[in-house]
Amino acid sequence: MIPRIISAVLIVASIIAVFGFSFITGHAMAMPEKLNAGVIVLGILAGLFHLFGVVPQGRHMRAFASPVVAWPVMIAGIATLITS
């Protein structure tokens, strides 16, 4: 239960970081920030897989949907987006 709560919190934080970027930093997204937002969205997708208990059949997708991959992608994406 706790890992799913952590995934939910990181998903909400990622959504706030992507959609609130202009408000948080004071400038609009340039191309590097947009690419970083795309990476964050992939982390959100993996987190949603984990949150809803979806277990893909392929081993690469199963690894992608695990918290071991989803959490660092979202955390690193948020950190690089905000500090850029």
Side-chain angles (χ1 to χ4, degrees):
M1 186 65 165
I2 292 176
R4 289 185 184 203
I5 293 171
I6 294 171
S7 289
V9 168
L10 285 173
I11 289 169
V12 169
S14 297
I15 291 171
I16 290 171
V18 170
F19 289 110
F21 178 80
S22 297
F23 180 72
I24 293 169
T25 61
H27 66 284
M29 282 190 185
M31 184 55 74
E33 287 88 10
K34 289 179 183 177
L35 292 172
N36 194 7
V39 171
I40 293 172
V41 170
L42 288 175
I44 291 172
L45 180 62
L48 287 173
F49 280 174
H50 175 255
L51 184 66
F52 292 122
V54 175
V55 181
Q57 293 297 318
R59 75 181 165 147
H60 292 13
M61 284 302 294
R62 195 171 351 169
F64 172 71
S66 71
V68 174
V69 174
W71 295 352
V73 168
M74 286 187 277
I75 292 169
I78 292 169
T80 56
L81 185 67
I82 299 302
T83 60
S84 63

mmCIF file of all heavy atoms in Angstrom, residues 23-78:
data_model
loop_
_atom_site.group_PDB
_atom_site.id
_atom_site.type_symbol
_atom_site.label_atom_id
_atom_site.label_comp_id
_atom_site.label_asym_id
_atom_site.label_seq_id
_atom_site.Cartn_x
_atom_site.Cartn_y
_atom_site.Cartn_z
ATOM 1 N N PHE A 23 4.506 29.233 -13.740
ATOM 2 C CA PHE A 23 4.250 29.921 -12.470
ATOM 3 C C PHE A 23 5.413 29.758 -11.501
ATOM 4 O O PHE A 23 5.803 30.712 -10.821
ATOM 5 C CB PHE A 23 2.963 29.377 -11.842
ATOM 6 C CG PHE A 23 2.613 30.029 -10.543
ATOM 7 C CD1 PHE A 23 2.151 31.331 -10.510
ATOM 8 C CD2 PHE A 23 2.769 29.345 -9.351
ATOM 9 C CE1 PHE A 23 1.835 31.944 -9.304
ATOM 10 C CE2 PHE A 23 2.465 29.940 -8.145
ATOM 11 C CZ PHE A 23 1.992 31.242 -8.123
ATOM 12 N N ILE A 24 6.001 28.556 -11.454
ATOM 13 C CA ILE A 24 7.092 28.280 -10.506
ATOM 14 C C ILE A 24 8.368 29.009 -10.900
ATOM 15 O O ILE A 24 9.037 29.614 -10.063
ATOM 16 C CB ILE A 24 7.346 26.764 -10.412
ATOM 17 C CG1 ILE A 24 6.142 26.062 -9.772
ATOM 18 C CG2 ILE A 24 8.603 26.472 -9.603
ATOM 19 C CD1 ILE A 24 6.189 24.552 -9.865
ATOM 20 N N THR A 25 8.723 28.976 -12.190
ATOM 21 C CA THR A 25 10.002 29.544 -12.620
ATOM 22 C C THR A 25 9.895 30.959 -13.165
ATOM 23 O O THR A 25 10.901 31.662 -13.226
ATOM 24 C CB THR A 25 10.642 28.660 -13.701
ATOM 25 O OG1 THR A 25 9.771 28.593 -14.828
ATOM 26 C CG2 THR A 25 10.928 27.273 -13.169
ATOM 27 N N GLY A 26 8.735 31.355 -13.625
ATOM 28 C CA GLY A 26 8.577 32.705 -14.137
ATOM 29 C C GLY A 26 8.860 32.864 -15.614
ATOM 30 O O GLY A 26 8.874 33.977 -16.127
ATOM 31 N N HIS A 27 9.128 31.774 -16.329
ATOM 32 C CA HIS A 27 9.300 31.869 -17.777
ATOM 33 C C HIS A 27 8.670 30.652 -18.456
ATOM 34 O O HIS A 27 8.419 29.635 -17.825
ATOM 35 C CB HIS A 27 10.772 32.027 -18.164
ATOM 36 C CG HIS A 27 11.635 30.840 -17.860
ATOM 37 N ND1 HIS A 27 12.066 30.525 -16.596
ATOM 38 C CD2 HIS A 27 12.144 29.888 -18.677
ATOM 39 C CE1 HIS A 27 12.803 29.437 -16.634
ATOM 40 N NE2 HIS A 27 12.864 29.024 -17.886
ATOM 41 N N ALA A 28 8.428 30.784 -19.744
ATOM 42 C CA ALA A 28 7.780 29.718 -20.510
ATOM 43 C C ALA A 28 8.780 28.603 -20.818
ATOM 44 O O ALA A 28 9.999 28.799 -20.761
ATOM 45 C CB ALA A 28 7.208 30.281 -21.801
ATOM 46 N N MET A 29 8.248 27.438 -21.155
ATOM 47 C CA MET A 29 9.105 26.292 -21.493
ATOM 48 C C MET A 29 9.744 26.477 -22.857
ATOM 49 O O MET A 29 9.057 26.776 -23.831
ATOM 50 C CB MET A 29 8.287 25.004 -21.529
ATOM 51 C CG MET A 29 7.955 24.416 -20.219
ATOM 52 S SD MET A 29 7.259 22.767 -20.500
ATOM 53 C CE MET A 29 6.817 22.360 -18.841
ATOM 54 N N ALA A 30 11.045 26.277 -22.898
ATOM 55 C CA ALA A 30 11.761 26.220 -24.171
ATOM 56 C C ALA A 30 11.836 24.747 -24.587
ATOM 57 O O ALA A 30 11.308 23.873 -23.904
ATOM 58 C CB ALA A 30 13.157 26.815 -24.012
ATOM 59 N N MET A 31 12.486 24.454 -25.694
ATOM 60 C CA MET A 31 12.535 23.082 -26.190
ATOM 61 C C MET A 31 13.170 22.103 -25.199
ATOM 62 O O MET A 31 12.627 21.012 -25.005
ATOM 63 C CB MET A 31 13.278 23.032 -27.532
ATOM 64 C CG MET A 31 13.280 21.650 -28.161
ATOM 65 S SD MET A 31 11.636 20.925 -28.374
ATOM 66 C CE MET A 31 11.032 21.859 -29.735
ATOM 67 N N PRO A 32 14.293 22.419 -24.536
ATOM 68 C CA PRO A 32 14.841 21.455 -23.572
ATOM 69 C C PRO A 32 13.876 21.138 -22.425
ATOM 70 O O PRO A 32 13.779 19.987 -22.004
ATOM 71 C CB PRO A 32 16.102 22.142 -23.044
ATOM 72 C CG PRO A 32 16.484 23.105 -24.093
ATOM 73 C CD PRO A 32 15.199 23.557 -24.714
ATOM 74 N N GLU A 33 13.159 22.139 -21.957
ATOM 75 C CA GLU A 33 12.193 21.898 -20.885
ATOM 76 C C GLU A 33 11.016 21.061 -21.375
ATOM 77 O O GLU A 33 10.484 20.233 -20.640
ATOM 78 C CB GLU A 33 11.690 23.215 -20.292
ATOM 79 C CG GLU A 33 12.700 23.937 -19.436
ATOM 80 C CD GLU A 33 13.587 24.881 -20.236
ATOM 81 O OE1 GLU A 33 13.300 25.109 -21.434
ATOM 82 O OE2 GLU A 33 14.560 25.379 -19.663
ATOM 83 N N LYS A 34 10.621 21.267 -22.622
ATOM 84 C CA LYS A 34 9.532 20.465 -23.179
ATOM 85 C C LYS A 34 9.944 18.998 -23.323
ATOM 86 O O LYS A 34 9.148 18.095 -23.062
ATOM 87 C CB LYS A 34 9.097 21.024 -24.529
ATOM 88 C CG LYS A 34 8.361 22.336 -24.416
ATOM 89 C CD LYS A 34 7.961 22.858 -25.769
ATOM 90 C CE LYS A 34 7.289 24.216 -25.638
ATOM 91 N NZ LYS A 34 6.937 24.797 -26.937
ATOM 92 N N LEU A 35 11.187 18.769 -23.733
ATOM 93 C CA LEU A 35 11.678 17.398 -23.817
ATOM 94 C C LEU A 35 11.749 16.761 -22.436
ATOM 95 O O LEU A 35 11.410 15.583 -22.265
ATOM 96 C CB LEU A 35 13.053 17.371 -24.489
ATOM 97 C CG LEU A 35 13.071 17.733 -25.965
ATOM 98 C CD1 LEU A 35 14.502 17.854 -26.468
ATOM 99 C CD2 LEU A 35 12.306 16.711 -26.776
ATOM 100 N N ASN A 36 12.173 17.536 -21.456
ATOM 101 C CA ASN A 36 12.210 17.042 -20.084
ATOM 102 C C ASN A 36 10.805 16.751 -19.579
ATOM 103 O O ASN A 36 10.583 15.767 -18.868
ATOM 104 C CB ASN A 36 12.901 18.064 -19.185
ATOM 105 C CG ASN A 36 13.277 17.493 -17.856
ATOM 106 O OD1 ASN A 36 13.149 16.300 -17.624
ATOM 107 N ND2 ASN A 36 13.730 18.340 -16.974
ATOM 108 N N ALA A 37 9.845 17.566 -19.945
ATOM 109 C CA ALA A 37 8.455 17.311 -19.564
ATOM 110 C C ALA A 37 7.963 16.009 -20.199
ATOM 111 O O ALA A 37 7.192 15.272 -19.575
ATOM 112 C CB ALA A 37 7.568 18.476 -19.979
ATOM 113 N N GLY A 38 8.418 15.704 -21.394
ATOM 114 C CA GLY A 38 8.070 14.430 -22.025
ATOM 115 C C GLY A 38 8.603 13.243 -21.245
ATOM 116 O O GLY A 38 7.919 12.225 -21.094
ATOM 117 N N VAL A 39 9.811 13.378 -20.732
ATOM 118 C CA VAL A 39 10.388 12.312 -19.901
ATOM 119 C C VAL A 39 9.591 12.163 -18.607
ATOM 120 O O VAL A 39 9.322 11.050 -18.153
ATOM 121 C CB VAL A 39 11.878 12.602 -19.608
ATOM 122 C CG1 VAL A 39 12.431 11.644 -18.576
ATOM 123 C CG2 VAL A 39 12.688 12.531 -20.890
ATOM 124 N N ILE A 40 9.176 13.279 -18.031
ATOM 125 C CA ILE A 40 8.362 13.229 -16.817
ATOM 126 C C ILE A 40 7.033 12.527 -17.102
ATOM 127 O O ILE A 40 6.559 11.736 -16.287
ATOM 128 C CB ILE A 40 8.126 14.643 -16.249
ATOM 129 C CG1 ILE A 40 9.435 15.242 -15.748
ATOM 130 C CG2 ILE A 40 7.113 14.615 -15.119
ATOM 131 C CD1 ILE A 40 9.336 16.688 -15.352
ATOM 132 N N VAL A 41 6.455 12.795 -18.256
ATOM 133 C CA VAL A 41 5.191 12.151 -18.615
ATOM 134 C C VAL A 41 5.380 10.641 -18.748
ATOM 135 O O VAL A 41 4.504 9.859 -18.353
ATOM 136 C CB VAL A 41 4.611 12.766 -19.906
ATOM 137 C CG1 VAL A 41 3.446 11.954 -20.437
ATOM 138 C CG2 VAL A 41 4.188 14.198 -19.647
ATOM 139 N N LEU A 42 6.516 10.200 -19.260
ATOM 140 C CA LEU A 42 6.790 8.761 -19.301
ATOM 141 C C LEU A 42 6.879 8.192 -17.884
ATOM 142 O O LEU A 42 6.399 7.087 -17.617
ATOM 143 C CB LEU A 42 8.091 8.481 -20.057
ATOM 144 C CG LEU A 42 8.031 8.679 -21.567
ATOM 145 C CD1 LEU A 42 9.417 8.499 -22.168
ATOM 146 C CD2 LEU A 42 7.044 7.725 -22.183
ATOM 147 N N GLY A 43 7.485 8.941 -16.968
ATOM 148 C CA GLY A 43 7.523 8.510 -15.569
ATOM 149 C C GLY A 43 6.131 8.463 -14.961
ATOM 150 O O GLY A 43 5.808 7.553 -14.191
ATOM 151 N N ILE A 44 5.284 9.434 -15.330
ATOM 152 C CA ILE A 44 3.900 9.433 -14.842
ATOM 153 C C ILE A 44 3.173 8.203 -15.361
ATOM 154 O O ILE A 44 2.434 7.545 -14.619
ATOM 155 C CB ILE A 44 3.170 10.722 -15.271
ATOM 156 C CG1 ILE A 44 3.728 11.929 -14.527
ATOM 157 C CG2 ILE A 44 1.678 10.603 -15.042
ATOM 158 C CD1 ILE A 44 3.212 13.257 -15.025
ATOM 159 N N LEU A 45 3.375 7.878 -16.622
ATOM 160 C CA LEU A 45 2.738 6.699 -17.202
ATOM 161 C C LEU A 45 3.171 5.428 -16.465
ATOM 162 O O LEU A 45 2.340 4.585 -16.123
ATOM 163 C CB LEU A 45 3.070 6.596 -18.688
ATOM 164 C CG LEU A 45 2.495 5.419 -19.444
ATOM 165 C CD1 LEU A 45 0.969 5.480 -19.428
ATOM 166 C CD2 LEU A 45 3.018 5.400 -20.852
ATOM 167 N N ALA A 46 4.461 5.308 -16.203
ATOM 168 C CA ALA A 46 4.952 4.143 -15.460
ATOM 169 C C ALA A 46 4.385 4.122 -14.046
ATOM 170 O O ALA A 46 4.024 3.060 -13.526
ATOM 171 C CB ALA A 46 6.482 4.157 -15.426
ATOM 172 N N GLY A 47 4.289 5.279 -13.424
ATOM 173 C CA GLY A 47 3.708 5.358 -12.086
ATOM 174 C C GLY A 47 2.237 4.978 -12.079
ATOM 175 O O GLY A 47 1.758 4.332 -11.144
ATOM 176 N N LEU A 48 1.507 5.365 -13.123
ATOM 177 C CA LEU A 48 0.098 4.986 -13.222
ATOM 178 C C LEU A 48 -0.053 3.477 -13.403
ATOM 179 O O LEU A 48 -0.971 2.874 -12.842
ATOM 180 C CB LEU A 48 -0.580 5.730 -14.374
ATOM 181 C CG LEU A 48 -0.851 7.213 -14.122
ATOM 182 C CD1 LEU A 48 -1.363 7.874 -15.395
ATOM 183 C CD2 LEU A 48 -1.841 7.391 -12.995
ATOM 184 N N PHE A 49 0.836 2.874 -14.194
ATOM 185 C CA PHE A 49 0.816 1.419 -14.315
ATOM 186 C C PHE A 49 0.957 0.778 -12.938
ATOM 187 O O PHE A 49 0.222 -0.128 -12.585
ATOM 188 C CB PHE A 49 1.955 0.925 -15.212
ATOM 189 C CG PHE A 49 1.700 1.035 -16.680
ATOM 190 C CD1 PHE A 49 2.701 0.738 -17.582
ATOM 191 C CD2 PHE A 49 0.467 1.411 -17.181
ATOM 192 C CE1 PHE A 49 2.481 0.814 -18.935
ATOM 193 C CE2 PHE A 49 0.238 1.498 -18.538
ATOM 194 C CZ PHE A 49 1.253 1.198 -19.419
ATOM 195 N N HIS A 50 1.931 1.262 -12.182
ATOM 196 C CA HIS A 50 2.167 0.709 -10.856
ATOM 197 C C HIS A 50 1.002 0.995 -9.923
ATOM 198 O O HIS A 50 0.575 0.133 -9.158
ATOM 199 C CB HIS A 50 3.465 1.263 -10.276
ATOM 200 C CG HIS A 50 3.709 0.825 -8.876
ATOM 201 N ND1 HIS A 50 3.531 1.663 -7.803
ATOM 202 C CD2 HIS A 50 4.073 -0.371 -8.368
ATOM 203 C CE1 HIS A 50 3.790 1.000 -6.697
ATOM 204 N NE2 HIS A 50 4.118 -0.228 -7.008
ATOM 205 N N LEU A 51 0.476 2.200 -9.970
ATOM 206 C CA LEU A 51 -0.605 2.608 -9.080
ATOM 207 C C LEU A 51 -1.852 1.741 -9.275
ATOM 208 O O LEU A 51 -2.499 1.346 -8.311
ATOM 209 C CB LEU A 51 -0.945 4.079 -9.314
ATOM 210 C CG LEU A 51 -1.998 4.701 -8.414
ATOM 211 C CD1 LEU A 51 -1.498 4.765 -6.971
ATOM 212 C CD2 LEU A 51 -2.335 6.101 -8.896
ATOM 213 N N PHE A 52 -2.178 1.447 -10.526
ATOM 214 C CA PHE A 52 -3.378 0.669 -10.808
ATOM 215 C C PHE A 52 -3.125 -0.837 -10.864
ATOM 216 O O PHE A 52 -4.032 -1.610 -11.155
ATOM 217 C CB PHE A 52 -4.026 1.147 -12.103
ATOM 218 C CG PHE A 52 -4.598 2.529 -11.983
ATOM 219 C CD1 PHE A 52 -4.178 3.540 -12.810
ATOM 220 C CD2 PHE A 52 -5.550 2.819 -11.023
ATOM 221 C CE1 PHE A 52 -4.699 4.818 -12.701
ATOM 222 C CE2 PHE A 52 -6.082 4.088 -10.899
ATOM 223 C CZ PHE A 52 -5.655 5.088 -11.735
ATOM 224 N N GLY A 53 -1.900 -1.265 -10.613
ATOM 225 C CA GLY A 53 -1.597 -2.691 -10.554
ATOM 226 C C GLY A 53 -1.491 -3.374 -11.898
ATOM 227 O O GLY A 53 -1.628 -4.594 -11.980
ATOM 228 N N VAL A 54 -1.238 -2.628 -12.952
ATOM 229 C CA VAL A 54 -1.080 -3.220 -14.280
ATOM 230 C C VAL A 54 0.292 -3.884 -14.349
ATOM 231 O O VAL A 54 1.306 -3.262 -14.038
ATOM 232 C CB VAL A 54 -1.203 -2.142 -15.383
ATOM 233 C CG1 VAL A 54 -0.928 -2.725 -16.754
ATOM 234 C CG2 VAL A 54 -2.555 -1.488 -15.324
ATOM 235 N N VAL A 55 0.311 -5.156 -14.736
ATOM 236 C CA VAL A 55 1.565 -5.885 -14.888
ATOM 237 C C VAL A 55 1.699 -6.288 -16.355
ATOM 238 O O VAL A 55 1.063 -7.245 -16.795
ATOM 239 C CB VAL A 55 1.609 -7.136 -13.985
ATOM 240 C CG1 VAL A 55 2.936 -7.869 -14.153
ATOM 241 C CG2 VAL A 55 1.384 -6.756 -12.532
ATOM 242 N N PRO A 56 2.504 -5.547 -17.119
ATOM 243 C CA PRO A 56 2.664 -5.871 -18.536
ATOM 244 C C PRO A 56 3.309 -7.244 -18.726
ATOM 245 O O PRO A 56 4.027 -7.743 -17.868
ATOM 246 C CB PRO A 56 3.585 -4.768 -19.055
ATOM 247 C CG PRO A 56 3.490 -3.676 -18.054
ATOM 248 C CD PRO A 56 3.218 -4.337 -16.750
ATOM 249 N N GLN A 57 3.060 -7.850 -19.880
ATOM 250 C CA GLN A 57 3.598 -9.181 -20.167
ATOM 251 C C GLN A 57 5.080 -9.152 -20.535
ATOM 252 O O GLN A 57 5.827 -10.030 -20.145
ATOM 253 C CB GLN A 57 2.794 -9.826 -21.305
ATOM 254 C CG GLN A 57 1.377 -10.153 -20.923
ATOM 255 C CD GLN A 57 1.324 -11.182 -19.798
ATOM 256 O OE1 GLN A 57 2.077 -12.136 -19.802
ATOM 257 N NE2 GLN A 57 0.442 -10.954 -18.846
ATOM 258 N N GLY A 58 5.482 -8.141 -21.280
ATOM 259 C CA GLY A 58 6.883 -8.052 -21.695
ATOM 260 C C GLY A 58 7.782 -7.674 -20.535
ATOM 261 O O GLY A 58 7.423 -6.869 -19.684
ATOM 262 N N ARG A 59 8.982 -8.242 -20.491
ATOM 263 C CA ARG A 59 9.853 -7.973 -19.336
ATOM 264 C C ARG A 59 10.371 -6.537 -19.334
ATOM 265 O O ARG A 59 10.576 -5.966 -18.279
ATOM 266 C CB ARG A 59 10.988 -8.974 -19.276
ATOM 267 C CG ARG A 59 12.060 -8.772 -20.271
ATOM 268 C CD ARG A 59 13.134 -9.801 -20.176
ATOM 269 N NE ARG A 59 13.880 -9.677 -21.407
ATOM 270 C CZ ARG A 59 15.146 -9.877 -21.516
ATOM 271 N NH1 ARG A 59 15.827 -10.292 -20.502
ATOM 272 N NH2 ARG A 59 15.743 -9.690 -22.658
ATOM 273 N N HIS A 60 10.565 -5.934 -20.512
ATOM 274 C CA HIS A 60 11.027 -4.540 -20.544
ATOM 275 C C HIS A 60 9.944 -3.606 -20.035
ATOM 276 O O HIS A 60 10.202 -2.684 -19.262
ATOM 277 C CB HIS A 60 11.444 -4.136 -21.944
ATOM 278 C CG HIS A 60 12.675 -4.815 -22.449
ATOM 279 N ND1 HIS A 60 13.239 -5.906 -21.843
ATOM 280 C CD2 HIS A 60 13.456 -4.563 -23.510
ATOM 281 C CE1 HIS A 60 14.303 -6.293 -22.504
ATOM 282 N NE2 HIS A 60 14.456 -5.491 -23.529
ATOM 283 N N MET A 61 8.714 -3.839 -20.475
ATOM 284 C CA MET A 61 7.604 -3.013 -20.005
ATOM 285 C C MET A 61 7.320 -3.254 -18.522
ATOM 286 O O MET A 61 6.939 -2.343 -17.802
ATOM 287 C CB MET A 61 6.343 -3.296 -20.832
ATOM 288 C CG MET A 61 6.369 -2.664 -22.201
ATOM 289 S SD MET A 61 6.561 -0.880 -22.156
ATOM 290 C CE MET A 61 5.040 -0.392 -21.402
ATOM 291 N N ARG A 62 7.497 -4.501 -18.073
ATOM 292 C CA ARG A 62 7.304 -4.799 -16.655
ATOM 293 C C ARG A 62 8.334 -4.049 -15.812
ATOM 294 O O ARG A 62 8.026 -3.521 -14.750
ATOM 295 C CB ARG A 62 7.415 -6.299 -16.414
ATOM 296 C CG ARG A 62 6.885 -6.744 -15.100
ATOM 297 C CD ARG A 62 6.832 -8.227 -15.027
ATOM 298 N NE ARG A 62 7.131 -8.718 -16.372
ATOM 299 C CZ ARG A 62 7.380 -9.957 -16.694
ATOM 300 N NH1 ARG A 62 7.356 -10.871 -15.825
ATOM 301 N NH2 ARG A 62 7.661 -10.314 -17.924
ATOM 302 N N ALA A 63 9.569 -3.985 -16.286
ATOM 303 C CA ALA A 63 10.599 -3.222 -15.575
ATOM 304 C C ALA A 63 10.284 -1.734 -15.613
ATOM 305 O O ALA A 63 10.469 -1.026 -14.618
ATOM 306 C CB ALA A 63 11.969 -3.492 -16.184
ATOM 307 N N PHE A 64 9.795 -1.253 -16.751
ATOM 308 C CA PHE A 64 9.438 0.165 -16.895
ATOM 309 C C PHE A 64 8.324 0.556 -15.935
ATOM 310 O O PHE A 64 8.320 1.642 -15.379
ATOM 311 C CB PHE A 64 9.016 0.438 -18.350
ATOM 312 C CG PHE A 64 8.456 1.808 -18.583
ATOM 313 C CD1 PHE A 64 9.273 2.920 -18.536
ATOM 314 C CD2 PHE A 64 7.108 1.978 -18.844
ATOM 315 C CE1 PHE A 64 8.755 4.189 -18.752
ATOM 316 C CE2 PHE A 64 6.580 3.230 -19.066
ATOM 317 C CZ PHE A 64 7.408 4.339 -19.016
ATOM 318 N N ALA A 65 7.367 -0.336 -15.721
ATOM 319 C CA ALA A 65 6.210 -0.039 -14.870
ATOM 320 C C ALA A 65 6.497 -0.251 -13.385
ATOM 321 O O ALA A 65 5.621 -0.056 -12.560
ATOM 322 C CB ALA A 65 5.023 -0.892 -15.289
ATOM 323 N N SER A 66 7.693 -0.640 -13.042
ATOM 324 C CA SER A 66 8.008 -0.873 -11.631
ATOM 325 C C SER A 66 8.417 0.440 -10.960
ATOM 326 O O SER A 66 8.887 1.370 -11.610
ATOM 327 C CB SER A 66 9.150 -1.889 -11.502
ATOM 328 O OG SER A 66 10.362 -1.311 -11.925
ATOM 329 N N PRO A 67 8.253 0.523 -9.648
ATOM 330 C CA PRO A 67 8.661 1.740 -8.934
ATOM 331 C C PRO A 67 10.166 2.004 -9.025
ATOM 332 O O PRO A 67 10.595 3.143 -8.919
ATOM 333 C CB PRO A 67 8.261 1.470 -7.488
ATOM 334 C CG PRO A 67 7.363 0.313 -7.507
ATOM 335 C CD PRO A 67 7.587 -0.411 -8.778
ATOM 336 N N VAL A 68 10.940 0.968 -9.242
ATOM 337 C CA VAL A 68 12.394 1.127 -9.341
ATOM 338 C C VAL A 68 12.763 2.022 -10.511
ATOM 339 O O VAL A 68 13.755 2.741 -10.459
ATOM 340 C CB VAL A 68 13.063 -0.267 -9.478
ATOM 341 C CG1 VAL A 68 14.538 -0.158 -9.727
ATOM 342 C CG2 VAL A 68 12.771 -1.120 -8.268
ATOM 343 N N VAL A 69 11.953 2.013 -11.555
ATOM 344 C CA VAL A 69 12.195 2.864 -12.714
ATOM 345 C C VAL A 69 11.346 4.137 -12.650
ATOM 346 O O VAL A 69 11.830 5.230 -12.920
ATOM 347 C CB VAL A 69 11.918 2.097 -14.024
ATOM 348 C CG1 VAL A 69 12.023 3.005 -15.227
ATOM 349 C CG2 VAL A 69 12.868 0.928 -14.153
ATOM 350 N N ALA A 70 10.083 3.992 -12.292
ATOM 351 C CA ALA A 70 9.153 5.120 -12.342
ATOM 352 C C ALA A 70 9.541 6.235 -11.382
ATOM 353 O O ALA A 70 9.530 7.413 -11.749
ATOM 354 C CB ALA A 70 7.735 4.642 -12.052
ATOM 355 N N TRP A 71 9.854 5.891 -10.158
ATOM 356 C CA TRP A 71 10.150 6.922 -9.157
ATOM 357 C C TRP A 71 11.379 7.753 -9.507
ATOM 358 O O TRP A 71 11.306 8.981 -9.485
ATOM 359 C CB TRP A 71 10.305 6.312 -7.779
ATOM 360 C CG TRP A 71 9.055 5.694 -7.238
ATOM 361 C CD1 TRP A 71 7.801 5.750 -7.762
ATOM 362 C CD2 TRP A 71 8.949 4.923 -6.047
ATOM 363 N NE1 TRP A 71 6.928 5.050 -6.976
ATOM 364 C CE2 TRP A 71 7.590 4.536 -5.917
ATOM 365 C CE3 TRP A 71 9.847 4.511 -5.087
ATOM 366 C CZ2 TRP A 71 7.135 3.765 -4.861
ATOM 367 C CZ3 TRP A 71 9.395 3.742 -4.030
ATOM 368 C CH2 TRP A 71 8.048 3.380 -3.915
ATOM 369 N N PRO A 72 12.524 7.137 -9.844
ATOM 370 C CA PRO A 72 13.681 7.974 -10.206
ATOM 371 C C PRO A 72 13.458 8.831 -11.443
ATOM 372 O O PRO A 72 13.958 9.957 -11.511
ATOM 373 C CB PRO A 72 14.805 6.959 -10.447
ATOM 374 C CG PRO A 72 14.401 5.752 -9.710
ATOM 375 C CD PRO A 72 12.902 5.733 -9.753
ATOM 376 N N VAL A 73 12.699 8.312 -12.420
ATOM 377 C CA VAL A 73 12.424 9.102 -13.623
ATOM 378 C C VAL A 73 11.631 10.349 -13.254
ATOM 379 O O VAL A 73 11.939 11.452 -13.698
ATOM 380 C CB VAL A 73 11.686 8.254 -14.683
ATOM 381 C CG1 VAL A 73 11.143 9.125 -15.804
ATOM 382 C CG2 VAL A 73 12.600 7.186 -15.238
ATOM 383 N N MET A 74 10.613 10.183 -12.420
ATOM 384 C CA MET A 74 9.813 11.350 -12.023
ATOM 385 C C MET A 74 10.606 12.312 -11.152
ATOM 386 O O MET A 74 10.562 13.524 -11.359
ATOM 387 C CB MET A 74 8.546 10.889 -11.290
ATOM 388 C CG MET A 74 7.504 10.284 -12.197
ATOM 389 S SD MET A 74 5.950 9.920 -11.380
ATOM 390 C CE MET A 74 6.299 8.343 -10.635
ATOM 391 N N ILE A 75 11.362 11.789 -10.186
ATOM 392 C CA ILE A 75 12.131 12.652 -9.294
ATOM 393 C C ILE A 75 13.214 13.411 -10.056
ATOM 394 O O ILE A 75 13.359 14.639 -9.916
ATOM 395 C CB ILE A 75 12.756 11.826 -8.142
ATOM 396 C CG1 ILE A 75 11.640 11.310 -7.223
ATOM 397 C CG2 ILE A 75 13.764 12.657 -7.360
ATOM 398 C CD1 ILE A 75 12.122 10.285 -6.217
ATOM 399 N N ALA A 76 13.955 12.713 -10.899
ATOM 400 C CA ALA A 76 15.006 13.371 -11.679
ATOM 401 C C ALA A 76 14.416 14.367 -12.668
ATOM 402 O O ALA A 76 14.966 15.452 -12.872
ATOM 403 C CB ALA A 76 15.853 12.343 -12.408
ATOM 404 N N GLY A 77 13.288 14.021 -13.262
ATOM 405 C CA GLY A 77 12.644 14.920 -14.213
ATOM 406 C C GLY A 77 12.175 16.203 -13.535
ATOM 407 O O GLY A 77 12.370 17.294 -14.058
ATOM 408 N N ILE A 78 11.557 16.072 -12.372
ATOM 409 C CA ILE A 78 11.105 17.250 -11.635
ATOM 410 C C ILE A 78 12.292 18.125 -11.245
ATOM 411 O O ILE A 78 12.272 19.336 -11.423
ATOM 412 C CB ILE A 78 10.301 16.848 -10.392
ATOM 413 C CG1 ILE A 78 8.974 16.213 -10.784
ATOM 414 C CG2 ILE A 78 10.040 18.052 -9.494
ATOM 415 C CD1 ILE A 78 8.244 15.550 -9.621
#
